[in-house]
Amino acid sequence: MMLNSLRHFILFLFLSFALLPAFRAVGRPTIIAVSVDDEYDRYKKRADDFFKEGKYFEARRQYQNCLEVPGFEDDAYAKEQIEECTTGMKLRQQVDEAILQNKGSETVGLLSQLLNLNPDDALTKMQLADYYEREGNQLYSLQKYADAKARYIEALNYTAKQETLMLQIRNCEENLKPKVPVYVQRPPKLIGLKVAAVAVALGAGLYAINLRNDYQSKLGALSQISQTADPTGSGIISKDMYHQYDEAYTAAEAAQKKNGLFKACLGVAAVATVTELYLLMHKPKPRTHALQWKPSSQSWGLAISHTF
């Protein structure tokens, strides 16, 4: 009986050691499943991020990695997304070809298809915003402000950076308003001043000439009478010639006293002449002021100009 008990004990020990690896293996599937799920989630998250950005080649590669994780070889989500990425890659290539061939309407149609495929496509939204803004700039440069405004408004639907577009829209609205006459600063009318300067110059000059001629004439008359009344130069004038000599001397003396007025007239004439020459040579130019903001027709952004 003791032998049987010993045999049972030995059998128990044998079975315990034999089954121990099996008991240890029981927990392994749970541990492995958790590790596999984490790996799949990492690939899926990367793929989804690339897909939202519109990077379909990178996204498809990550979705293919999802299918290589054990237990996820037939994952329906990854397979569906791979097909979406393949379609997106084909459309993106067609967009690039349309842009190179300058096919505007075709480009917009293809970009719209990409957005229908993936409404979160950030790259496609940026391309659409740039396309409409560039078209708006070209129309603005052609002064087609209503059409340019429509393009800018369309671009607003695809971008979060709206400050520049809003400014361009306001520019279009300003240009579409009825034109108000621009009052330009005119040069002052200087005809009257010029005429006055000419009149003063001529009047003062003529009066100075008359004063000089009068003085010379009376001085000549005095000299002639002096030679007749005192031909020898003795200083003795006959009584019958004295009256004439005295009148001629008084007249010459009065003319000489006007010498200061003669000089003043010459000065006035000179100043008036210089003023007239200045007015003729320096003509004020009209001044206009204009500050304009306009978009660049060949690129994105604005150009500003100011006229002095």
Side-chain angles (χ1 to χ4, degrees):
M1 186 173 180
M2 290 181 62
L3 182 59
N4 289 334
S5 299
L6 182 60
R7 285 177 180 175
H8 290 157
F9 179 71
I10 294 172
L11 180 61
F12 173 76
L13 291 177
F14 175 76
L15 291 173
S16 298
F17 283 104
L19 294 176
L20 182 60
F23 286 121
R24 291 179 177 176
V26 171
R28 288 180 183 176
T30 302
I31 297 173
I32 293 174
V34 172
S35 176
V36 168
D37 288 347
D38 288 344
E39 184 179 7
Y40 173 84
D41 289 340
R42 286 198 302 272
Y43 289 136
K44 179 178 178 297
K45 183 179 185 307
R46 292 175 188 171
D48 289 343
D49 290 341
F50 283 131
F51 190 80
K52 288 181 179 180
E53 294 177 17
K55 299 179 179 179
Y56 298 113
F57 178 80
E58 294 85 349
R60 187 177 69 170
R61 185 167 54 186
Q62 295 300 324
Y63 287 127
Q64 288 172 342
N65 290 338
C66 290
L67 295 178
E68 295 177 4
V69 177
F72 293 91
E73 295 85 353
D74 295 323
D75 183 66
Y77 177 77
K79 288 183 176 181
E80 181 182 353
Q81 289 300 104
I82 288 173
E83 293 180 2
E84 298 285 327
C85 290
T86 303
T87 303
M89 290 172 60
K90 292 179 180 179
L91 288 172
R92 181 77 68 201
Q93 184 178 0
Q94 293 174 11
V95 167
D96 294 339
E97 292 174 356
I99 291 175
L100 289 176
Q101 297 173 11
N102 199 24
K103 296 180 179 179
S105 58
E106 184 176 339
T107 300
V108 173
L110 292 168
L111 290 173
S112 299
Q113 291 183 47
L114 275 171
L115 276 187
N116 290 332
L117 175 74
N118 177 17
D120 297 326
D121 189 334
L123 180 57
T124 297
K125 290 180 180 180
M126 182 183 69
Q127 286 182 297
L128 278 169
D130 291 344
Y131 173 82
Y132 283 118
E133 182 177 2
R134 188 167 59 253
E135 269 211 339
N137 292 346
Q138 292 173 352
L139 290 167
Y140 189 98
S141 66
L142 297 174
Q143 298 183 357
K144 297 181 179 180
Y145 302 117
D147 294 334
K149 178 184 175 181
R151 297 300 189 281
Y152 293 142
I153 292 175
E154 190 68 28
L156 287 175
N157 298 323
Y158 303 105
T159 180
K161 299 179 180 179
Q162 301 186 348
E163 293 82 3
T164 300
L165 289 171
M166 293 302 298
L167 180 59
Q168 291 167 333
I169 289 172
R170 286 196 293 271
N171 274 341
C172 292
E173 292 173 348
E174 288 296 324
N175 284 286
L176 288 171
K177 291 180 179 179
K179 298 299 181 182
V180 179
V182 179
Y183 295 98
V184 181
Q185 182 179 354
R186 302 288 183 182
K189 295 182 179 180
L190 302 178
I191 298 177
L193 186 58
K194 292 178 182 179
V195 171
V198 172
V200 170
L202 290 176
L206 291 174
Y207 190 64
I209 291 173
N210 289 334
L211 289 176
R212 174 58 63 179
N213 290 338
D214 181 62
Y215 174 71
Q216 293 292 343
S217 176
K218 290 179 179 180
L219 186 62
L222 177 63
S223 177
Q224 185 178 1
I225 291 176
S226 296
Q227 291 178 2
T228 303
D230 185 14
T232 61
S234 62
I236 300 173
I237 301 174
S238 60
K239 187 176 182 180
D240 55 345
M241 295 293 298
Y242 180 80
H243 180 69
Q244 295 181 12
Y245 175 83
D246 185 59
E247 288 182 353
Y249 180 85
T250 302
E253 186 179 24
Q256 185 181 18
K257 290 181 179 179
K258 295 180 180 180
N259 188 43
L261 181 58
F262 166 75
K263 292 180 179 180
C265 289
L266 287 180
V268 171
V271 171
T273 302
V274 171
T275 303
E276 179 186 359
L277 292 174
Y278 177 83
L279 294 176
L280 290 174
M281 295 175 64
H282 295 79
K283 297 181 179 180
K285 298 180 179 180
R287 298 176 59 190
T288 58
H289 298 274
L291 182 64
Q292 295 181 341
W293 294 80
K294 62 179 181 178
S296 173
S297 60
Q298 301 299 326
S299 62
W300 297 271
L302 295 174
I304 181 171
S305 63
H306 186 258
T307 304
F308 295 91

Short mmCIF file of all heavy atoms in Angstrom, two decimals, residues 251-300:
data_model
loop_
_atom_site.label_atom_id
_atom_site.label_comp_id
_atom_site.label_asym_id
_atom_site.label_seq_id
_atom_site.Cartn_x
_atom_site.Cartn_y
_atom_site.Cartn_z
N ALA A 251 16.05 175.92 -63.04
CA ALA A 251 15.45 174.71 -63.62
C ALA A 251 16.42 173.54 -63.51
O ALA A 251 16.03 172.40 -63.17
CB ALA A 251 15.05 174.94 -65.06
N ALA A 252 17.72 173.76 -63.80
CA ALA A 252 18.71 172.68 -63.71
C ALA A 252 18.89 172.22 -62.27
O ALA A 252 19.04 171.02 -61.99
CB ALA A 252 20.04 173.15 -64.31
N GLU A 253 18.86 173.20 -61.36
CA GLU A 253 19.00 172.84 -59.94
C GLU A 253 17.82 171.99 -59.46
O GLU A 253 17.98 171.00 -58.72
CB GLU A 253 19.12 174.10 -59.11
CG GLU A 253 19.40 173.84 -57.64
CD GLU A 253 19.53 175.13 -56.84
OE1 GLU A 253 18.97 176.14 -57.29
OE2 GLU A 253 20.17 175.10 -55.77
N ALA A 254 16.61 172.34 -59.91
CA ALA A 254 15.41 171.58 -59.52
C ALA A 254 15.46 170.15 -60.09
O ALA A 254 15.09 169.16 -59.44
CB ALA A 254 14.17 172.30 -60.00
N ALA A 255 15.96 170.01 -61.32
CA ALA A 255 16.07 168.69 -61.93
C ALA A 255 17.10 167.84 -61.22
O ALA A 255 16.94 166.62 -61.04
CB ALA A 255 16.41 168.82 -63.41
N GLN A 256 18.20 168.49 -60.75
CA GLN A 256 19.24 167.75 -60.05
C GLN A 256 18.73 167.21 -58.72
O GLN A 256 19.12 166.14 -58.26
CB GLN A 256 20.45 168.66 -59.84
CG GLN A 256 21.63 167.92 -59.22
CD GLN A 256 22.82 168.85 -58.99
OE1 GLN A 256 22.64 170.09 -58.98
NE2 GLN A 256 23.99 168.29 -58.82
N LYS A 257 17.85 168.00 -58.07
CA LYS A 257 17.30 167.56 -56.79
C LYS A 257 16.45 166.28 -56.91
O LYS A 257 16.18 165.61 -55.92
CB LYS A 257 16.48 168.68 -56.16
CG LYS A 257 17.32 169.85 -55.67
CD LYS A 257 16.47 170.93 -55.04
CE LYS A 257 17.32 172.08 -54.53
NZ LYS A 257 16.48 173.16 -53.92
N LYS A 258 16.00 165.99 -58.11
CA LYS A 258 15.21 164.78 -58.34
C LYS A 258 16.08 163.55 -58.62
O LYS A 258 15.60 162.50 -59.04
CB LYS A 258 14.24 164.98 -59.52
CG LYS A 258 13.17 166.04 -59.25
CD LYS A 258 12.25 166.19 -60.45
CE LYS A 258 11.18 167.25 -60.19
NZ LYS A 258 10.27 167.41 -61.37
N ASN A 259 17.37 163.67 -58.38
CA ASN A 259 18.28 162.56 -58.63
C ASN A 259 17.97 161.36 -57.72
O ASN A 259 18.07 160.19 -58.10
CB ASN A 259 19.72 163.02 -58.43
CG ASN A 259 20.72 161.95 -58.86
OD1 ASN A 259 20.55 161.33 -59.92
ND2 ASN A 259 21.75 161.73 -58.06
N GLY A 260 17.56 161.64 -56.46
CA GLY A 260 17.19 160.55 -55.53
C GLY A 260 15.97 159.79 -56.03
O GLY A 260 15.90 158.55 -55.95
N LEU A 261 14.99 160.54 -56.55
CA LEU A 261 13.80 159.89 -57.09
C LEU A 261 14.15 159.06 -58.32
O LEU A 261 13.60 157.97 -58.54
CB LEU A 261 12.76 160.96 -57.46
CG LEU A 261 11.43 160.47 -58.03
CD1 LEU A 261 10.73 159.52 -57.06
CD2 LEU A 261 10.53 161.66 -58.39
N PHE A 262 15.12 159.55 -59.10
CA PHE A 262 15.57 158.80 -60.26
C PHE A 262 16.17 157.46 -59.85
O PHE A 262 15.87 156.42 -60.45
CB PHE A 262 16.60 159.67 -61.01
CG PHE A 262 17.40 158.91 -62.03
CD1 PHE A 262 16.83 158.53 -63.25
CD2 PHE A 262 18.72 158.56 -61.76
CE1 PHE A 262 17.58 157.83 -64.18
CE2 PHE A 262 19.46 157.86 -62.70
CZ PHE A 262 18.90 157.49 -63.91
N LYS A 263 17.01 157.47 -58.83
CA LYS A 263 17.62 156.23 -58.36
C LYS A 263 16.57 155.27 -57.80
O LYS A 263 16.65 154.05 -58.00
CB LYS A 263 18.66 156.54 -57.30
CG LYS A 263 19.88 157.27 -57.84
CD LYS A 263 20.88 157.55 -56.73
CE LYS A 263 22.11 158.27 -57.28
NZ LYS A 263 23.10 158.55 -56.21
N ALA A 264 15.58 155.83 -57.09
CA ALA A 264 14.51 154.98 -56.53
C ALA A 264 13.72 154.31 -57.65
O ALA A 264 13.36 153.13 -57.57
CB ALA A 264 13.59 155.82 -55.65
N CYS A 265 13.44 155.07 -58.71
CA CYS A 265 12.70 154.49 -59.84
C CYS A 265 13.50 153.38 -60.50
O CYS A 265 12.94 152.35 -60.91
CB CYS A 265 12.37 155.59 -60.85
SG CYS A 265 11.11 156.75 -60.28
N LEU A 266 14.80 153.59 -60.61
CA LEU A 266 15.65 152.53 -61.18
C LEU A 266 15.59 151.26 -60.32
O LEU A 266 15.53 150.14 -60.82
CB LEU A 266 17.09 153.01 -61.31
CG LEU A 266 17.37 154.03 -62.41
CD1 LEU A 266 18.85 154.41 -62.40
CD2 LEU A 266 16.99 153.47 -63.79
N GLY A 267 15.61 151.45 -58.99
CA GLY A 267 15.54 150.29 -58.09
C GLY A 267 14.22 149.54 -58.20
O GLY A 267 14.18 148.31 -58.25
N VAL A 268 13.11 150.30 -58.22
CA VAL A 268 11.79 149.68 -58.37
C VAL A 268 11.69 148.92 -59.68
O VAL A 268 11.17 147.80 -59.74
CB VAL A 268 10.69 150.74 -58.26
CG1 VAL A 268 9.34 150.15 -58.62
CG2 VAL A 268 10.65 151.32 -56.85
N ALA A 269 12.20 149.51 -60.76
CA ALA A 269 12.15 148.86 -62.06
C ALA A 269 12.97 147.57 -62.05
O ALA A 269 12.55 146.56 -62.63
CB ALA A 269 12.67 149.82 -63.13
N ALA A 270 14.12 147.60 -61.37
CA ALA A 270 14.96 146.40 -61.32
C ALA A 270 14.28 145.28 -60.54
O ALA A 270 14.26 144.11 -60.96
CB ALA A 270 16.30 146.75 -60.67
N VAL A 271 13.69 145.63 -59.38
CA VAL A 271 13.00 144.62 -58.57
C VAL A 271 11.81 144.03 -59.32
O VAL A 271 11.58 142.81 -59.33
CB VAL A 271 12.55 145.23 -57.23
CG1 VAL A 271 11.64 144.24 -56.48
CG2 VAL A 271 13.75 145.59 -56.37
N ALA A 272 11.03 144.87 -59.99
CA ALA A 272 9.88 144.40 -60.74
C ALA A 272 10.31 143.49 -61.88
O ALA A 272 9.66 142.48 -62.19
CB ALA A 272 9.09 145.58 -61.28
N THR A 273 11.43 143.81 -62.52
CA THR A 273 11.93 142.98 -63.61
C THR A 273 12.36 141.60 -63.11
O THR A 273 12.06 140.57 -63.72
CB THR A 273 13.11 143.67 -64.30
OG1 THR A 273 12.69 144.96 -64.78
CG2 THR A 273 13.63 142.84 -65.46
N VAL A 274 13.08 141.60 -61.98
CA VAL A 274 13.50 140.31 -61.40
C VAL A 274 12.30 139.46 -61.00
O VAL A 274 12.27 138.24 -61.22
CB VAL A 274 14.42 140.57 -60.18
CG1 VAL A 274 14.70 139.25 -59.45
CG2 VAL A 274 15.73 141.20 -60.65
N THR A 275 11.29 140.13 -60.40
CA THR A 275 10.07 139.40 -60.02
C THR A 275 9.37 138.80 -61.22
O THR A 275 8.91 137.65 -61.19
CB THR A 275 9.11 140.35 -59.28
OG1 THR A 275 9.77 140.91 -58.14
CG2 THR A 275 7.86 139.61 -58.83
N GLU A 276 9.31 139.56 -62.28
CA GLU A 276 8.66 139.07 -63.50
C GLU A 276 9.41 137.86 -64.06
O GLU A 276 8.81 136.85 -64.45
CB GLU A 276 8.63 140.18 -64.54
CG GLU A 276 7.99 139.75 -65.86
CD GLU A 276 8.10 140.84 -66.92
OE1 GLU A 276 8.66 141.91 -66.59
OE2 GLU A 276 7.64 140.59 -68.04
N LEU A 277 10.73 137.95 -64.08
CA LEU A 277 11.53 136.81 -64.57
C LEU A 277 11.33 135.57 -63.70
O LEU A 277 11.24 134.44 -64.20
CB LEU A 277 13.01 137.20 -64.61
CG LEU A 277 13.38 138.25 -65.66
CD1 LEU A 277 14.86 138.65 -65.51
CD2 LEU A 277 13.13 137.71 -67.07
N TYR A 278 11.25 135.75 -62.39
CA TYR A 278 11.05 134.62 -61.47
C TYR A 278 9.70 133.94 -61.72
O TYR A 278 9.60 132.71 -61.76
CB TYR A 278 11.13 135.11 -60.03
CG TYR A 278 10.85 134.02 -59.02
CD1 TYR A 278 11.85 133.14 -58.63
CD2 TYR A 278 9.58 133.87 -58.47
CE1 TYR A 278 11.59 132.13 -57.72
CE2 TYR A 278 9.31 132.87 -57.56
CZ TYR A 278 10.32 131.99 -57.17
OH TYR A 278 10.07 131.00 -56.28
N LEU A 279 8.67 134.75 -61.89
CA LEU A 279 7.34 134.19 -62.13
C LEU A 279 7.27 133.45 -63.46
O LEU A 279 6.54 132.47 -63.60
CB LEU A 279 6.28 135.30 -62.10
CG LEU A 279 6.08 135.97 -60.73
CD1 LEU A 279 5.09 137.12 -60.86
CD2 LEU A 279 5.56 134.95 -59.71
N LEU A 280 8.03 133.91 -64.44
CA LEU A 280 8.02 133.24 -65.74
C LEU A 280 8.79 131.92 -65.70
O LEU A 280 8.41 130.96 -66.38
CB LEU A 280 8.63 134.17 -66.80
CG LEU A 280 7.80 135.39 -67.19
CD1 LEU A 280 8.60 136.30 -68.13
CD2 LEU A 280 6.49 134.96 -67.87
N MET A 281 9.85 131.90 -64.92
CA MET A 281 10.72 130.71 -64.91
C MET A 281 10.27 129.64 -63.93
O MET A 281 10.53 128.46 -64.13
CB MET A 281 12.16 131.13 -64.59
CG MET A 281 12.78 132.01 -65.65
SD MET A 281 14.42 132.60 -65.18
CE MET A 281 15.31 131.04 -65.11
N HIS A 282 9.58 130.00 -62.84
CA HIS A 282 9.17 129.04 -61.81
C HIS A 282 7.65 128.91 -61.83
O HIS A 282 6.94 129.72 -61.24
CB HIS A 282 9.64 129.50 -60.43
CG HIS A 282 11.13 129.51 -60.30
ND1 HIS A 282 11.90 130.54 -60.82
CD2 HIS A 282 11.98 128.63 -59.72
CE1 HIS A 282 13.17 130.29 -60.55
NE2 HIS A 282 13.25 129.14 -59.90
N LYS A 283 7.19 127.87 -62.54
CA LYS A 283 5.76 127.61 -62.61
C LYS A 283 5.40 126.50 -61.64
O LYS A 283 5.91 125.39 -61.75
CB LYS A 283 5.36 127.20 -64.03
CG LYS A 283 5.60 128.30 -65.06
CD LYS A 283 5.16 127.83 -66.43
CE LYS A 283 5.37 128.94 -67.46
NZ LYS A 283 4.96 128.51 -68.82
N PRO A 284 4.55 126.76 -60.66
CA PRO A 284 4.16 125.70 -59.71
C PRO A 284 3.50 124.53 -60.43
O PRO A 284 2.72 124.71 -61.36
CB PRO A 284 3.16 126.40 -58.77
CG PRO A 284 3.44 127.86 -58.94
CD PRO A 284 3.89 128.03 -60.35
N LYS A 285 3.87 123.32 -60.02
CA LYS A 285 3.30 122.12 -60.61
C LYS A 285 2.13 121.62 -59.77
O LYS A 285 2.17 121.68 -58.55
CB LYS A 285 4.36 121.01 -60.70
CG LYS A 285 5.54 121.39 -61.60
CD LYS A 285 6.55 120.26 -61.64
CE LYS A 285 7.72 120.62 -62.54
NZ LYS A 285 8.72 119.53 -62.59
N PRO A 286 1.11 121.11 -60.44
CA PRO A 286 -0.02 120.55 -59.67
C PRO A 286 0.42 119.33 -58.89
O PRO A 286 1.25 118.54 -59.35
CB PRO A 286 -1.04 120.18 -60.76
CG PRO A 286 -0.22 120.01 -62.00
CD PRO A 286 0.90 121.00 -61.88
N ARG A 287 -0.13 119.13 -57.71
CA ARG A 287 0.22 118.01 -56.85
C ARG A 287 -1.01 117.14 -56.65
O ARG A 287 -2.10 117.61 -56.39
CB ARG A 287 0.71 118.51 -55.48
CG ARG A 287 1.97 119.35 -55.58
CD ARG A 287 2.33 119.90 -54.21
NE ARG A 287 2.54 118.82 -53.26
CZ ARG A 287 2.68 119.01 -51.95
NH1 ARG A 287 2.60 120.22 -51.45
NH2 ARG A 287 2.88 117.99 -51.15
N THR A 288 -0.80 115.87 -56.78
CA THR A 288 -1.86 114.90 -56.53
C THR A 288 -1.37 113.90 -55.52
O THR A 288 -0.18 113.56 -55.47
CB THR A 288 -2.27 114.18 -57.82
OG1 THR A 288 -1.11 113.53 -58.38
CG2 THR A 288 -2.84 115.15 -58.84
N HIS A 289 -2.26 113.42 -54.70
CA HIS A 289 -1.93 112.42 -53.69
C HIS A 289 -2.82 111.21 -53.91
O HIS A 289 -4.05 111.34 -53.98
CB HIS A 289 -2.16 112.97 -52.28
CG HIS A 289 -1.28 114.15 -51.97
ND1 HIS A 289 -0.01 114.03 -51.49
CD2 HIS A 289 -1.50 115.48 -52.12
CE1 HIS A 289 0.52 115.23 -51.32
NE2 HIS A 289 -0.37 116.13 -51.70
N ALA A 290 -2.23 110.07 -53.99
CA ALA A 290 -3.02 108.85 -54.16
C ALA A 290 -2.33 107.69 -53.49
O ALA A 290 -1.15 107.43 -53.74
CB ALA A 290 -3.20 108.55 -55.65
N LEU A 291 -3.03 107.02 -52.61
CA LEU A 291 -2.52 105.83 -51.93
C LEU A 291 -3.36 104.65 -52.37
O LEU A 291 -4.57 104.65 -52.20
CB LEU A 291 -2.61 106.00 -50.41
CG LEU A 291 -2.07 104.84 -49.57
CD1 LEU A 291 -0.57 104.68 -49.80
CD2 LEU A 291 -2.35 105.06 -48.09
N GLN A 292 -2.71 103.63 -52.94
CA GLN A 292 -3.44 102.51 -53.49
C GLN A 292 -2.87 101.20 -52.99
O GLN A 292 -1.64 101.05 -52.90
CB GLN A 292 -3.37 102.52 -55.03
CG GLN A 292 -4.06 103.71 -55.66
CD GLN A 292 -3.99 103.64 -57.17
OE1 GLN A 292 -3.17 102.93 -57.73
NE2 GLN A 292 -4.86 104.37 -57.83
N TRP A 293 -3.76 100.27 -52.66
CA TRP A 293 -3.39 98.89 -52.35
C TRP A 293 -3.92 98.03 -53.47
O TRP A 293 -5.07 98.15 -53.85
CB TRP A 293 -4.05 98.45 -51.04
CG TRP A 293 -3.57 99.16 -49.84
CD1 TRP A 293 -3.95 100.40 -49.42
CD2 TRP A 293 -2.62 98.69 -48.89
NE1 TRP A 293 -3.30 100.72 -48.27
CE2 TRP A 293 -2.48 99.70 -47.92
CE3 TRP A 293 -1.88 97.52 -48.77
CZ2 TRP A 293 -1.63 99.57 -46.84
CZ3 TRP A 293 -1.03 97.38 -47.69
CH2 TRP A 293 -0.90 98.39 -46.74
N LYS A 294 -3.10 97.18 -53.98
CA LYS A 294 -3.58 96.28 -55.02
C LYS A 294 -2.82 94.96 -54.95
O LYS A 294 -1.65 94.92 -54.58
CB LYS A 294 -3.41 96.91 -56.40
CG LYS A 294 -1.94 97.21 -56.78
CD LYS A 294 -1.88 97.81 -58.16
CE LYS A 294 -0.43 98.11 -58.56
NZ LYS A 294 -0.36 98.66 -59.92
N PRO A 295 -3.48 93.87 -55.31
CA PRO A 295 -2.81 92.58 -55.26
C PRO A 295 -1.84 92.43 -56.41
O PRO A 295 -2.03 92.99 -57.48
CB PRO A 295 -3.97 91.58 -55.39
CG PRO A 295 -5.03 92.34 -56.08
CD PRO A 295 -4.89 93.77 -55.64
N SER A 296 -0.79 91.68 -56.18
CA SER A 296 0.15 91.40 -57.24
C SER A 296 -0.45 90.42 -58.22
O SER A 296 -0.99 89.39 -57.83
CB SER A 296 1.45 90.83 -56.65
OG SER A 296 2.32 90.40 -57.67
N SER A 297 -0.36 90.71 -59.54
CA SER A 297 -1.02 89.86 -60.53
C SER A 297 -0.24 88.60 -60.83
O SER A 297 -0.79 87.63 -61.34
CB SER A 297 -1.20 90.66 -61.84
OG SER A 297 0.05 91.07 -62.35
N GLN A 298 1.05 88.58 -60.48
CA GLN A 298 1.87 87.42 -60.82
C GLN A 298 2.19 86.54 -59.62
O GLN A 298 2.86 85.53 -59.74
CB GLN A 298 3.20 87.88 -61.44
CG GLN A 298 3.01 88.70 -62.71
CD GLN A 298 2.32 87.94 -63.81
OE1 GLN A 298 2.50 86.73 -63.95
NE2 GLN A 298 1.50 88.62 -64.60
N SER A 299 1.75 86.92 -58.43
CA SER A 299 2.08 86.15 -57.23
C SER A 299 1.00 86.38 -56.21
O SER A 299 0.00 87.03 -56.45
CB SER A 299 3.46 86.55 -56.71
OG SER A 299 3.45 87.91 -56.34
N TRP A 300 1.22 85.86 -55.00
CA TRP A 300 0.26 86.05 -53.92
C TRP A 300 0.67 87.23 -53.08
O TRP A 300 1.84 87.55 -52.92
CB TRP A 300 0.19 84.80 -53.05
CG TRP A 300 -0.31 83.61 -53.82
CD1 TRP A 300 -1.60 83.23 -53.99
CD2 TRP A 300 0.48 82.68 -54.56
NE1 TRP A 300 -1.67 82.13 -54.78
CE2 TRP A 300 -0.41 81.75 -55.14
CE3 TRP A 300 1.83 82.54 -54.80
CZ2 TRP A 300 0.00 80.70 -55.93
CZ3 TRP A 300 2.26 81.49 -55.59
CH2 TRP A 300 1.36 80.59 -56.15
#
